[in-house]
Amino acid sequence: MLGPAEVRRLAEELGIRPTKKLGQNFVHDPNTVRKIVAAAELTPEDVVLEVGPGLGSLTLALLPSAKQVVAVEIDPPLAERLPQTAREMDPENAGKLHVVLKDAMKVTQDDLPVQPTAIVANLPYNVAVPVVLHLLSELPSLRKGLVMVQAEVADRMAAKPGNKIYGVPSVKLAWYAEARKAGSIGKNVFWPAPNVDSGLVWFRRHESPLSTVDRKRLFQIVDAAFAQRRKTLRAALKGWAGGAQQADELLQKAGVDPQQRGEQLSVIDFVRIAEV
């Protein structure tokens, strides 16, 4: 495991100063990475995808618990050093590690040496939701995940209909998976310490797709419904539907009250609108 001294030593060796641009906040508390791995509910047969492994704190905790770990890192010096760190700190499990130098937002199945069954990651706050949605879209082998994100983002990802913070991230993640909060993480386990607390979100992909409806069309409706939260669906969807009357008729055919607001609809309600 990497403690504060090891994290700073590695960063100094590589000449790395954590940058906000890449969302680099390195975990230096062994108990925290153990907590994350435990919350991920991994099995010995899981192939884990880790996004942004950084200096390797979480990677080292994942290796003994997984069949293989695929670490996707955008920063070349970090990607180059990670296999060596694994060999030094855990030679018994170092052979399970595959490092892929790539932007996670551009990863496809063809970029990975093995297909992952789970994602476990400490995600940069500014791209957390897009990364999760992209990977669920591109990697059908992913069955579950545990991600650490900004506390507010975690709340939104796991929110249910009727909640004030329920919105676009909630619905889009619900299209792919069932999600729930899995814990909270304080600021002081990171170097440098971020300005906000973090939260853990666990999710499991639905056994079968909720519908055969076109996902892009569905997500367009979701985006329109929440673009102006205070508007009724009749008003919010008029631009997408070609007018308020058309939106009204479409919603009624879908069995959705046109006077409701987006935050009151489940993902299944949005699916019914898209299907109509």
Side-chain angles (χ1 to χ4, degrees), residues 196-233:
V196 294
D197 289 334
S198 299
L200 300 178
V201 178
W202 178 92
F203 54 88
R204 184 182 296 277
R205 192 189 290 266
H206 301 307
E207 288 296 326
S208 56
L210 297 180
S211 169
T212 57
V213 72
D214 180 67
R215 175 176 52 86
K216 290 184 179 179
R217 180 195 304 166
L218 174 68
F219 283 8
Q220 286 173 353
I221 297 169
V222 174
D223 289 336
F226 288 100
Q228 294 176 283
R229 294 181 68 97
R230 293 187 179 184
K231 286 191 173 184
T232 65
L233 288 167

PDB file of all heavy atoms in Angstrom, residues 196-233:
ATOM      1  N   VAL A 196     -13.645  19.807  -1.736  1.00  0.00           N
ATOM      2  CA  VAL A 196     -14.938  19.192  -1.427  1.00  0.00           C
ATOM      3  C   VAL A 196     -14.746  17.741  -0.984  1.00  0.00           C
ATOM      4  O   VAL A 196     -13.720  17.129  -1.259  1.00  0.00           O
ATOM      5  CB  VAL A 196     -15.880  19.226  -2.655  1.00  0.00           C
ATOM      6  CG1 VAL A 196     -16.247  20.658  -3.011  1.00  0.00           C
ATOM      7  CG2 VAL A 196     -15.240  18.531  -3.847  1.00  0.00           C
ATOM      8  N   ASP A 197     -15.755  17.224  -0.298  1.00  0.00           N
ATOM      9  CA  ASP A 197     -15.746  15.814   0.084  1.00  0.00           C
ATOM     10  C   ASP A 197     -16.103  14.953  -1.128  1.00  0.00           C
ATOM     11  O   ASP A 197     -16.594  15.452  -2.145  1.00  0.00           O
ATOM     12  CB  ASP A 197     -16.755  15.566   1.203  1.00  0.00           C
ATOM     13  CG  ASP A 197     -16.306  16.157   2.530  1.00  0.00           C
ATOM     14  OD1 ASP A 197     -15.082  16.313   2.735  1.00  0.00           O
ATOM     15  OD2 ASP A 197     -17.173  16.485   3.363  1.00  0.00           O
ATOM     16  N   SER A 198     -15.864  13.664  -0.989  1.00  0.00           N
ATOM     17  CA  SER A 198     -16.166  12.721  -2.063  1.00  0.00           C
ATOM     18  C   SER A 198     -17.218  11.714  -1.605  1.00  0.00           C
ATOM     19  O   SER A 198     -17.475  11.559  -0.411  1.00  0.00           O
ATOM     20  CB  SER A 198     -14.895  11.965  -2.479  1.00  0.00           C
ATOM     21  OG  SER A 198     -13.919  12.858  -2.958  1.00  0.00           O
ATOM     22  N   GLY A 199     -17.823  11.048  -2.579  1.00  0.00           N
ATOM     23  CA  GLY A 199     -18.801  10.010  -2.287  1.00  0.00           C
ATOM     24  C   GLY A 199     -18.569   8.801  -3.167  1.00  0.00           C
ATOM     25  O   GLY A 199     -17.991   8.906  -4.258  1.00  0.00           O
ATOM     26  N   LEU A 200     -18.998   7.646  -2.694  1.00  0.00           N
ATOM     27  CA  LEU A 200     -18.895   6.411  -3.459  1.00  0.00           C
ATOM     28  C   LEU A 200     -20.253   6.067  -4.055  1.00  0.00           C
ATOM     29  O   LEU A 200     -21.273   6.136  -3.364  1.00  0.00           O
ATOM     30  CB  LEU A 200     -18.434   5.259  -2.560  1.00  0.00           C
ATOM     31  CG  LEU A 200     -17.079   5.415  -1.870  1.00  0.00           C
ATOM     32  CD1 LEU A 200     -16.807   4.205  -0.974  1.00  0.00           C
ATOM     33  CD2 LEU A 200     -15.962   5.591  -2.882  1.00  0.00           C
ATOM     34  N   VAL A 201     -20.258   5.707  -5.333  1.00  0.00           N
ATOM     35  CA  VAL A 201     -21.480   5.267  -6.003  1.00  0.00           C
ATOM     36  C   VAL A 201     -21.248   3.861  -6.538  1.00  0.00           C
ATOM     37  O   VAL A 201     -20.292   3.614  -7.279  1.00  0.00           O
ATOM     38  CB  VAL A 201     -21.851   6.199  -7.174  1.00  0.00           C
ATOM     39  CG1 VAL A 201     -23.110   5.684  -7.879  1.00  0.00           C
ATOM     40  CG2 VAL A 201     -22.072   7.615  -6.685  1.00  0.00           C
ATOM     41  N   TRP A 202     -22.122   2.934  -6.132  1.00  0.00           N
ATOM     42  CA  TRP A 202     -22.086   1.560  -6.623  1.00  0.00           C
ATOM     43  C   TRP A 202     -23.206   1.378  -7.624  1.00  0.00           C
ATOM     44  O   TRP A 202     -24.302   1.915  -7.445  1.00  0.00           O
ATOM     45  CB  TRP A 202     -22.269   0.594  -5.458  1.00  0.00           C
ATOM     46  CG  TRP A 202     -22.295  -0.861  -5.832  1.00  0.00           C
ATOM     47  CD1 TRP A 202     -21.245  -1.720  -5.876  1.00  0.00           C
ATOM     48  CD2 TRP A 202     -23.444  -1.639  -6.199  1.00  0.00           C
ATOM     49  NE1 TRP A 202     -21.651  -2.978  -6.253  1.00  0.00           N
ATOM     50  CE2 TRP A 202     -23.011  -2.959  -6.456  1.00  0.00           C
ATOM     51  CE3 TRP A 202     -24.801  -1.344  -6.347  1.00  0.00           C
ATOM     52  CZ2 TRP A 202     -23.874  -3.983  -6.847  1.00  0.00           C
ATOM     53  CZ3 TRP A 202     -25.667  -2.354  -6.737  1.00  0.00           C
ATOM     54  CH2 TRP A 202     -25.205  -3.657  -6.976  1.00  0.00           C
ATOM     55  N   PHE A 203     -22.939   0.637  -8.696  1.00  0.00           N
ATOM     56  CA  PHE A 203     -24.010   0.374  -9.651  1.00  0.00           C
ATOM     57  C   PHE A 203     -23.847  -1.013 -10.260  1.00  0.00           C
ATOM     58  O   PHE A 203     -22.757  -1.560 -10.318  1.00  0.00           O
ATOM     59  CB  PHE A 203     -24.066   1.437 -10.757  1.00  0.00           C
ATOM     60  CG  PHE A 203     -22.772   1.652 -11.501  1.00  0.00           C
ATOM     61  CD1 PHE A 203     -22.453   0.890 -12.613  1.00  0.00           C
ATOM     62  CD2 PHE A 203     -21.877   2.633 -11.092  1.00  0.00           C
ATOM     63  CE1 PHE A 203     -21.266   1.087 -13.300  1.00  0.00           C
ATOM     64  CE2 PHE A 203     -20.684   2.830 -11.768  1.00  0.00           C
ATOM     65  CZ  PHE A 203     -20.374   2.065 -12.882  1.00  0.00           C
ATOM     66  N   ARG A 204     -24.984  -1.582 -10.686  1.00  0.00           N
ATOM     67  CA  ARG A 204     -24.990  -2.866 -11.368  1.00  0.00           C
ATOM     68  C   ARG A 204     -25.835  -2.745 -12.626  1.00  0.00           C
ATOM     69  O   ARG A 204     -26.971  -2.268 -12.567  1.00  0.00           O
ATOM     70  CB  ARG A 204     -25.552  -3.970 -10.472  1.00  0.00           C
ATOM     71  CG  ARG A 204     -25.472  -5.364 -11.126  1.00  0.00           C
ATOM     72  CD  ARG A 204     -26.076  -6.440 -10.241  1.00  0.00           C
ATOM     73  NE  ARG A 204     -25.341  -6.585  -8.999  1.00  0.00           N
ATOM     74  CZ  ARG A 204     -24.227  -7.306  -8.851  1.00  0.00           C
ATOM     75  NH1 ARG A 204     -23.704  -7.927  -9.907  1.00  0.00           N
ATOM     76  NH2 ARG A 204     -23.638  -7.403  -7.689  1.00  0.00           N
ATOM     77  N   ARG A 205     -25.284  -3.177 -13.748  1.00  0.00           N
ATOM     78  CA  ARG A 205     -25.992  -3.074 -15.012  1.00  0.00           C
ATOM     79  C   ARG A 205     -27.253  -3.943 -14.984  1.00  0.00           C
ATOM     80  O   ARG A 205     -27.250  -5.032 -14.405  1.00  0.00           O
ATOM     81  CB  ARG A 205     -25.094  -3.511 -16.169  1.00  0.00           C
ATOM     82  CG  ARG A 205     -25.677  -3.163 -17.545  1.00  0.00           C
ATOM     83  CD  ARG A 205     -24.879  -3.813 -18.668  1.00  0.00           C
ATOM     84  NE  ARG A 205     -23.558  -3.261 -18.872  1.00  0.00           N
ATOM     85  CZ  ARG A 205     -23.266  -2.298 -19.747  1.00  0.00           C
ATOM     86  NH1 ARG A 205     -24.223  -1.760 -20.497  1.00  0.00           N
ATOM     87  NH2 ARG A 205     -22.019  -1.874 -19.900  1.00  0.00           N
ATOM     88  N   HIS A 206     -28.318  -3.448 -15.629  1.00  0.00           N
ATOM     89  CA  HIS A 206     -29.549  -4.228 -15.732  1.00  0.00           C
ATOM     90  C   HIS A 206     -29.261  -5.536 -16.467  1.00  0.00           C
ATOM     91  O   HIS A 206     -28.457  -5.575 -17.411  1.00  0.00           O
ATOM     92  CB  HIS A 206     -30.616  -3.438 -16.506  1.00  0.00           C
ATOM     93  CG  HIS A 206     -30.954  -2.118 -15.878  1.00  0.00           C
ATOM     94  ND1 HIS A 206     -31.320  -1.977 -14.562  1.00  0.00           N
ATOM     95  CD2 HIS A 206     -30.985  -0.854 -16.408  1.00  0.00           C
ATOM     96  CE1 HIS A 206     -31.557  -0.700 -14.301  1.00  0.00           C
ATOM     97  NE2 HIS A 206     -31.352  -0.006 -15.406  1.00  0.00           N
ATOM     98  N   GLU A 207     -29.938  -6.598 -16.045  1.00  0.00           N
ATOM     99  CA  GLU A 207     -29.733  -7.905 -16.657  1.00  0.00           C
ATOM    100  C   GLU A 207     -30.042  -7.882 -18.157  1.00  0.00           C
ATOM    101  O   GLU A 207     -29.399  -8.550 -18.957  1.00  0.00           O
ATOM    102  CB  GLU A 207     -30.610  -8.949 -15.968  1.00  0.00           C
ATOM    103  CG  GLU A 207     -30.138  -9.313 -14.564  1.00  0.00           C
ATOM    104  CD  GLU A 207     -28.767  -9.971 -14.563  1.00  0.00           C
ATOM    105  OE1 GLU A 207     -28.469 -10.710 -15.520  1.00  0.00           O
ATOM    106  OE2 GLU A 207     -27.998  -9.730 -13.618  1.00  0.00           O
ATOM    107  N   SER A 208     -31.049  -7.098 -18.536  1.00  0.00           N
ATOM    108  CA  SER A 208     -31.382  -6.924 -19.953  1.00  0.00           C
ATOM    109  C   SER A 208     -31.740  -5.460 -20.183  1.00  0.00           C
ATOM    110  O   SER A 208     -32.144  -4.762 -19.242  1.00  0.00           O
ATOM    111  CB  SER A 208     -32.553  -7.827 -20.354  1.00  0.00           C
ATOM    112  OG  SER A 208     -33.676  -7.577 -19.529  1.00  0.00           O
ATOM    113  N   PRO A 209     -31.591  -4.934 -21.396  1.00  0.00           N
ATOM    114  CA  PRO A 209     -31.905  -3.522 -21.669  1.00  0.00           C
ATOM    115  C   PRO A 209     -33.350  -3.193 -21.301  1.00  0.00           C
ATOM    116  O   PRO A 209     -34.254  -4.025 -21.438  1.00  0.00           O
ATOM    117  CB  PRO A 209     -31.673  -3.402 -23.183  1.00  0.00           C
ATOM    118  CG  PRO A 209     -30.727  -4.513 -23.513  1.00  0.00           C
ATOM    119  CD  PRO A 209     -31.073  -5.637 -22.595  1.00  0.00           C
ATOM    120  N   LEU A 210     -33.565  -1.971 -20.848  1.00  0.00           N
ATOM    121  CA  LEU A 210     -34.911  -1.548 -20.474  1.00  0.00           C
ATOM    122  C   LEU A 210     -35.832  -1.448 -21.683  1.00  0.00           C
ATOM    123  O   LEU A 210     -37.050  -1.573 -21.555  1.00  0.00           O
ATOM    124  CB  LEU A 210     -34.850  -0.181 -19.770  1.00  0.00           C
ATOM    125  CG  LEU A 210     -34.088  -0.131 -18.445  1.00  0.00           C
ATOM    126  CD1 LEU A 210     -34.128   1.288 -17.875  1.00  0.00           C
ATOM    127  CD2 LEU A 210     -34.652  -1.127 -17.449  1.00  0.00           C
ATOM    128  N   SER A 211     -35.252  -1.220 -22.854  1.00  0.00           N
ATOM    129  CA  SER A 211     -36.049  -1.055 -24.064  1.00  0.00           C
ATOM    130  C   SER A 211     -35.119  -1.141 -25.272  1.00  0.00           C
ATOM    131  O   SER A 211     -33.894  -1.014 -25.150  1.00  0.00           O
ATOM    132  CB  SER A 211     -36.758   0.304 -24.040  1.00  0.00           C
ATOM    133  OG  SER A 211     -37.330   0.622 -25.286  1.00  0.00           O
ATOM    134  N   THR A 212     -35.718  -1.329 -26.437  1.00  0.00           N
ATOM    135  CA  THR A 212     -34.934  -1.300 -27.683  1.00  0.00           C
ATOM    136  C   THR A 212     -34.953   0.100 -28.301  1.00  0.00           C
ATOM    137  O   THR A 212     -34.442   0.310 -29.395  1.00  0.00           O
ATOM    138  CB  THR A 212     -35.502  -2.298 -28.703  1.00  0.00           C
ATOM    139  OG1 THR A 212     -36.891  -1.989 -28.935  1.00  0.00           O
ATOM    140  CG2 THR A 212     -35.367  -3.720 -28.195  1.00  0.00           C
ATOM    141  N   VAL A 213     -35.535   1.063 -27.590  1.00  0.00           N
ATOM    142  CA  VAL A 213     -35.624   2.430 -28.106  1.00  0.00           C
ATOM    143  C   VAL A 213     -34.219   2.993 -28.351  1.00  0.00           C
ATOM    144  O   VAL A 213     -33.255   2.608 -27.673  1.00  0.00           O
ATOM    145  CB  VAL A 213     -36.402   3.321 -27.112  1.00  0.00           C
ATOM    146  CG1 VAL A 213     -35.571   3.612 -25.870  1.00  0.00           C
ATOM    147  CG2 VAL A 213     -36.826   4.627 -27.766  1.00  0.00           C
ATOM    148  N   ASP A 214     -34.087   3.899 -29.304  1.00  0.00           N
ATOM    149  CA  ASP A 214     -32.798   4.512 -29.612  1.00  0.00           C
ATOM    150  C   ASP A 214     -32.310   5.342 -28.431  1.00  0.00           C
ATOM    151  O   ASP A 214     -32.994   6.239 -27.959  1.00  0.00           O
ATOM    152  CB  ASP A 214     -32.928   5.408 -30.854  1.00  0.00           C
ATOM    153  CG  ASP A 214     -31.618   6.060 -31.221  1.00  0.00           C
ATOM    154  OD1 ASP A 214     -30.684   5.354 -31.624  1.00  0.00           O
ATOM    155  OD2 ASP A 214     -31.533   7.305 -31.098  1.00  0.00           O
ATOM    156  N   ARG A 215     -31.107   5.009 -27.940  1.00  0.00           N
ATOM    157  CA  ARG A 215     -30.569   5.682 -26.761  1.00  0.00           C
ATOM    158  C   ARG A 215     -30.358   7.175 -26.995  1.00  0.00           C
ATOM    159  O   ARG A 215     -30.609   8.001 -26.104  1.00  0.00           O
ATOM    160  CB  ARG A 215     -29.248   5.035 -26.334  1.00  0.00           C
ATOM    161  CG  ARG A 215     -28.551   5.750 -25.188  1.00  0.00           C
ATOM    162  CD  ARG A 215     -27.308   5.005 -24.756  1.00  0.00           C
ATOM    163  NE  ARG A 215     -26.415   4.708 -25.866  1.00  0.00           N
ATOM    164  CZ  ARG A 215     -25.488   5.559 -26.320  1.00  0.00           C
ATOM    165  NH1 ARG A 215     -25.355   6.753 -25.782  1.00  0.00           N
ATOM    166  NH2 ARG A 215     -24.684   5.212 -27.325  1.00  0.00           N
ATOM    167  N   LYS A 216     -29.894   7.553 -28.186  1.00  0.00           N
ATOM    168  CA  LYS A 216     -29.654   8.977 -28.454  1.00  0.00           C
ATOM    169  C   LYS A 216     -30.955   9.768 -28.380  1.00  0.00           C
ATOM    170  O   LYS A 216     -30.989  10.879 -27.855  1.00  0.00           O
ATOM    171  CB  LYS A 216     -28.999   9.145 -29.828  1.00  0.00           C
ATOM    172  CG  LYS A 216     -27.560   8.641 -29.875  1.00  0.00           C
ATOM    173  CD  LYS A 216     -26.925   8.906 -31.225  1.00  0.00           C
ATOM    174  CE  LYS A 216     -25.474   8.427 -31.251  1.00  0.00           C
ATOM    175  NZ  LYS A 216     -24.842   8.665 -32.579  1.00  0.00           N
ATOM    176  N   ARG A 217     -32.032   9.194 -28.915  1.00  0.00           N
ATOM    177  CA  ARG A 217     -33.323   9.879 -28.854  1.00  0.00           C
ATOM    178  C   ARG A 217     -33.768  10.020 -27.395  1.00  0.00           C
ATOM    179  O   ARG A 217     -34.226  11.083 -26.972  1.00  0.00           O
ATOM    180  CB  ARG A 217     -34.374   9.100 -29.638  1.00  0.00           C
ATOM    181  CG  ARG A 217     -35.761   9.776 -29.612  1.00  0.00           C
ATOM    182  CD  ARG A 217     -36.852   8.828 -30.066  1.00  0.00           C
ATOM    183  NE  ARG A 217     -36.574   8.287 -31.399  1.00  0.00           N
ATOM    184  CZ  ARG A 217     -37.225   7.242 -31.903  1.00  0.00           C
ATOM    185  NH1 ARG A 217     -38.148   6.612 -31.202  1.00  0.00           N
ATOM    186  NH2 ARG A 217     -36.931   6.818 -33.118  1.00  0.00           N
ATOM    187  N   LEU A 218     -33.625   8.953 -26.638  1.00  0.00           N
ATOM    188  CA  LEU A 218     -34.002   8.984 -25.223  1.00  0.00           C
ATOM    189  C   LEU A 218     -33.232  10.068 -24.483  1.00  0.00           C
ATOM    190  O   LEU A 218     -33.817  10.861 -23.729  1.00  0.00           O
ATOM    191  CB  LEU A 218     -33.726   7.630 -24.587  1.00  0.00           C
ATOM    192  CG  LEU A 218     -33.936   7.537 -23.078  1.00  0.00           C
ATOM    193  CD1 LEU A 218     -35.412   7.669 -22.729  1.00  0.00           C
ATOM    194  CD2 LEU A 218     -33.349   6.248 -22.521  1.00  0.00           C
ATOM    195  N   PHE A 219     -31.919  10.124 -24.696  1.00  0.00           N
ATOM    196  CA  PHE A 219     -31.094  11.100 -23.976  1.00  0.00           C
ATOM    197  C   PHE A 219     -31.409  12.535 -24.422  1.00  0.00           C
ATOM    198  O   PHE A 219     -31.286  13.475 -23.634  1.00  0.00           O
ATOM    199  CB  PHE A 219     -29.614  10.783 -24.168  1.00  0.00           C
ATOM    200  CG  PHE A 219     -29.128   9.618 -23.327  1.00  0.00           C
ATOM    201  CD1 PHE A 219     -30.016   8.824 -22.608  1.00  0.00           C
ATOM    202  CD2 PHE A 219     -27.782   9.313 -23.249  1.00  0.00           C
ATOM    203  CE1 PHE A 219     -29.582   7.757 -21.831  1.00  0.00           C
ATOM    204  CE2 PHE A 219     -27.329   8.250 -22.484  1.00  0.00           C
ATOM    205  CZ  PHE A 219     -28.228   7.473 -21.767  1.00  0.00           C
ATOM    206  N   GLN A 220     -31.812  12.721 -25.684  1.00  0.00           N
ATOM    207  CA  GLN A 220     -32.237  14.054 -26.125  1.00  0.00           C
ATOM    208  C   GLN A 220     -33.471  14.516 -25.343  1.00  0.00           C
ATOM    209  O   GLN A 220     -33.571  15.680 -24.951  1.00  0.00           O
ATOM    210  CB  GLN A 220     -32.558  14.029 -27.625  1.00  0.00           C
ATOM    211  CG  GLN A 220     -31.349  13.971 -28.532  1.00  0.00           C
ATOM    212  CD  GLN A 220     -31.734  13.788 -30.000  1.00  0.00           C
ATOM    213  OE1 GLN A 220     -32.912  13.570 -30.318  1.00  0.00           O
ATOM    214  NE2 GLN A 220     -30.754  13.865 -30.889  1.00  0.00           N
ATOM    215  N   ILE A 221     -34.401  13.598 -25.126  1.00  0.00           N
ATOM    216  CA  ILE A 221     -35.608  13.928 -24.371  1.00  0.00           C
ATOM    217  C   ILE A 221     -35.246  14.266 -22.926  1.00  0.00           C
ATOM    218  O   ILE A 221     -35.759  15.240 -22.351  1.00  0.00           O
ATOM    219  CB  ILE A 221     -36.607  12.753 -24.419  1.00  0.00           C
ATOM    220  CG1 ILE A 221     -37.059  12.508 -25.854  1.00  0.00           C
ATOM    221  CG2 ILE A 221     -37.814  13.020 -23.526  1.00  0.00           C
ATOM    222  CD1 ILE A 221     -37.826  11.212 -26.040  1.00  0.00           C
ATOM    223  N   VAL A 222     -34.375  13.482 -22.336  1.00  0.00           N
ATOM    224  CA  VAL A 222     -33.946  13.733 -20.955  1.00  0.00           C
ATOM    225  C   VAL A 222     -33.273  15.094 -20.843  1.00  0.00           C
ATOM    226  O   VAL A 222     -33.575  15.880 -19.935  1.00  0.00           O
ATOM    227  CB  VAL A 222     -32.988  12.610 -20.487  1.00  0.00           C
ATOM    228  CG1 VAL A 222     -32.421  12.949 -19.106  1.00  0.00           C
ATOM    229  CG2 VAL A 222     -33.713  11.272 -20.443  1.00  0.00           C
ATOM    230  N   ASP A 223     -32.370  15.403 -21.770  1.00  0.00           N
ATOM    231  CA  ASP A 223     -31.691  16.705 -21.756  1.00  0.00           C
ATOM    232  C   ASP A 223     -32.697  17.847 -21.865  1.00  0.00           C
ATOM    233  O   ASP A 223     -32.597  18.851 -21.146  1.00  0.00           O
ATOM    234  CB  ASP A 223     -30.683  16.793 -22.909  1.00  0.00           C
ATOM    235  CG  ASP A 223     -29.470  15.902 -22.705  1.00  0.00           C
ATOM    236  OD1 ASP A 223     -29.161  15.577 -21.547  1.00  0.00           O
ATOM    237  OD2 ASP A 223     -28.835  15.527 -23.716  1.00  0.00           O
ATOM    238  N   ALA A 224     -33.669  17.700 -22.767  1.00  0.00           N
ATOM    239  CA  ALA A 224     -34.670  18.760 -22.955  1.00  0.00           C
ATOM    240  C   ALA A 224     -35.542  18.918 -21.712  1.00  0.00           C
ATOM    241  O   ALA A 224     -35.864  20.046 -21.312  1.00  0.00           O
ATOM    242  CB  ALA A 224     -35.542  18.438 -24.169  1.00  0.00           C
ATOM    243  N   ALA A 225     -35.901  17.818 -21.088  1.00  0.00           N
ATOM    244  CA  ALA A 225     -36.789  17.861 -19.925  1.00  0.00           C
ATOM    245  C   ALA A 225     -36.162  18.592 -18.744  1.00  0.00           C
ATOM    246  O   ALA A 225     -36.865  19.226 -17.952  1.00  0.00           O
ATOM    247  CB  ALA A 225     -37.178  16.444 -19.514  1.00  0.00           C
ATOM    248  N   PHE A 226     -34.833  18.515 -18.638  1.00  0.00           N
ATOM    249  CA  PHE A 226     -34.161  19.138 -17.497  1.00  0.00           C
ATOM    250  C   PHE A 226     -33.446  20.438 -17.851  1.00  0.00           C
ATOM    251  O   PHE A 226     -32.806  21.041 -16.991  1.00  0.00           O
ATOM    252  CB  PHE A 226     -33.154  18.153 -16.883  1.00  0.00           C
ATOM    253  CG  PHE A 226     -33.803  17.026 -16.129  1.00  0.00           C
ATOM    254  CD1 PHE A 226     -33.950  15.778 -16.716  1.00  0.00           C
ATOM    255  CD2 PHE A 226     -34.277  17.212 -14.839  1.00  0.00           C
ATOM    256  CE1 PHE A 226     -34.549  14.735 -16.031  1.00  0.00           C
ATOM    257  CE2 PHE A 226     -34.875  16.179 -14.144  1.00  0.00           C
ATOM    258  CZ  PHE A 226     -35.018  14.943 -14.733  1.00  0.00           C
ATOM    259  N   ALA A 227     -33.533  20.869 -19.108  1.00  0.00           N
ATOM    260  CA  ALA A 227     -32.839  22.096 -19.515  1.00  0.00           C
ATOM    261  C   ALA A 227     -33.336  23.295 -18.727  1.00  0.00           C
ATOM    262  O   ALA A 227     -32.563  24.199 -18.382  1.00  0.00           O
ATOM    263  CB  ALA A 227     -33.001  22.325 -21.008  1.00  0.00           C
ATOM    264  N   GLN A 228     -34.634  23.326 -18.447  1.00  0.00           N
ATOM    265  CA  GLN A 228     -35.229  24.376 -17.615  1.00  0.00           C
ATOM    266  C   GLN A 228     -36.155  23.669 -16.629  1.00  0.00           C
ATOM    267  O   GLN A 228     -37.318  23.408 -16.920  1.00  0.00           O
ATOM    268  CB  GLN A 228     -35.991  25.381 -18.472  1.00  0.00           C
ATOM    269  CG  GLN A 228     -35.061  26.167 -19.400  1.00  0.00           C
ATOM    270  CD  GLN A 228     -35.837  27.090 -20.325  1.00  0.00           C
ATOM    271  OE1 GLN A 228     -36.433  26.656 -21.305  1.00  0.00           O
ATOM    272  NE2 GLN A 228     -35.832  28.370 -19.999  1.00  0.00           N
ATOM    273  N   ARG A 229     -35.601  23.368 -15.461  1.00  0.00           N
ATOM    274  CA  ARG A 229     -36.245  22.469 -14.512  1.00  0.00           C
ATOM    275  C   ARG A 229     -37.638  22.928 -14.076  1.00  0.00           C
ATOM    276  O   ARG A 229     -38.489  22.105 -13.738  1.00  0.00           O
ATOM    277  CB  ARG A 229     -35.371  22.293 -13.270  1.00  0.00           C
ATOM    278  CG  ARG A 229     -34.047  21.578 -13.543  1.00  0.00           C
ATOM    279  CD  ARG A 229     -33.273  21.419 -12.264  1.00  0.00           C
ATOM    280  NE  ARG A 229     -33.923  20.493 -11.342  1.00  0.00           N
ATOM    281  CZ  ARG A 229     -33.590  19.219 -11.224  1.00  0.00           C
ATOM    282  NH1 ARG A 229     -32.638  18.691 -11.974  1.00  0.00           N
ATOM    283  NH2 ARG A 229     -34.195  18.443 -10.352  1.00  0.00           N
ATOM    284  N   ARG A 230     -37.862  24.216 -14.049  1.00  0.00           N
ATOM    285  CA  ARG A 230     -39.149  24.712 -13.539  1.00  0.00           C
ATOM    286  C   ARG A 230     -40.285  24.581 -14.549  1.00  0.00           C
ATOM    287  O   ARG A 230     -41.452  24.730 -14.215  1.00  0.00           O
ATOM    288  CB  ARG A 230     -39.010  26.179 -13.108  1.00  0.00           C
ATOM    289  CG  ARG A 230     -38.096  26.370 -11.904  1.00  0.00           C
ATOM    290  CD  ARG A 230     -38.121  27.784 -11.404  1.00  0.00           C
ATOM    291  NE  ARG A 230     -37.262  27.959 -10.223  1.00  0.00           N
ATOM    292  CZ  ARG A 230     -37.162  29.081  -9.538  1.00  0.00           C
ATOM    293  NH1 ARG A 230     -37.861  30.144  -9.927  1.00  0.00           N
ATOM    294  NH2 ARG A 230     -36.380  29.165  -8.480  1.00  0.00           N
ATOM    295  N   LYS A 231     -39.941  24.308 -15.788  1.00  0.00           N
ATOM    296  CA  LYS A 231     -40.980  24.204 -16.811  1.00  0.00           C
ATOM    297  C   LYS A 231     -41.679  22.857 -16.754  1.00  0.00           C
ATOM    298  O   LYS A 231     -41.083  21.830 -16.405  1.00  0.00           O
ATOM    299  CB  LYS A 231     -40.371  24.402 -18.205  1.00  0.00           C
ATOM    300  CG  LYS A 231     -40.010  25.851 -18.514  1.00  0.00           C
ATOM    301  CD  LYS A 231     -39.683  26.006 -19.986  1.00  0.00           C
ATOM    302  CE  LYS A 231     -39.490  27.477 -20.355  1.00  0.00           C
ATOM    303  NZ  LYS A 231     -39.263  27.653 -21.803  1.00  0.00           N
ATOM    304  N   THR A 232     -42.951  22.845 -17.116  1.00  0.00           N
ATOM    305  CA  THR A 232     -43.659  21.578 -17.255  1.00  0.00           C
ATOM    306  C   THR A 232     -43.094  20.834 -18.456  1.00  0.00           C
ATOM    307  O   THR A 232     -42.444  21.420 -19.327  1.00  0.00           O
ATOM    308  CB  THR A 232     -45.159  21.804 -17.471  1.00  0.00           C
ATOM    309  OG1 THR A 232     -45.342  22.483 -18.736  1.00  0.00           O
ATOM    310  CG2 THR A 232     -45.768  22.628 -16.341  1.00  0.00           C
ATOM    311  N   LEU A 233     -43.374  19.549 -18.517  1.00  0.00           N
ATOM    312  CA  LEU A 233     -42.887  18.759 -19.651  1.00  0.00           C
ATOM    313  C   LEU A 233     -43.460  19.273 -20.970  1.00  0.00           C
ATOM    314  O   LEU A 233     -42.780  19.267 -21.997  1.00  0.00           O
ATOM    315  CB  LEU A 233     -43.262  17.293 -19.459  1.00  0.00           C
ATOM    316  CG  LEU A 233     -42.469  16.558 -18.380  1.00  0.00           C
ATOM    317  CD1 LEU A 233     -43.133  15.235 -18.045  1.00  0.00           C
ATOM    318  CD2 LEU A 233     -41.024  16.326 -18.822  1.00  0.00           C
TER     319      LEU A 233
END
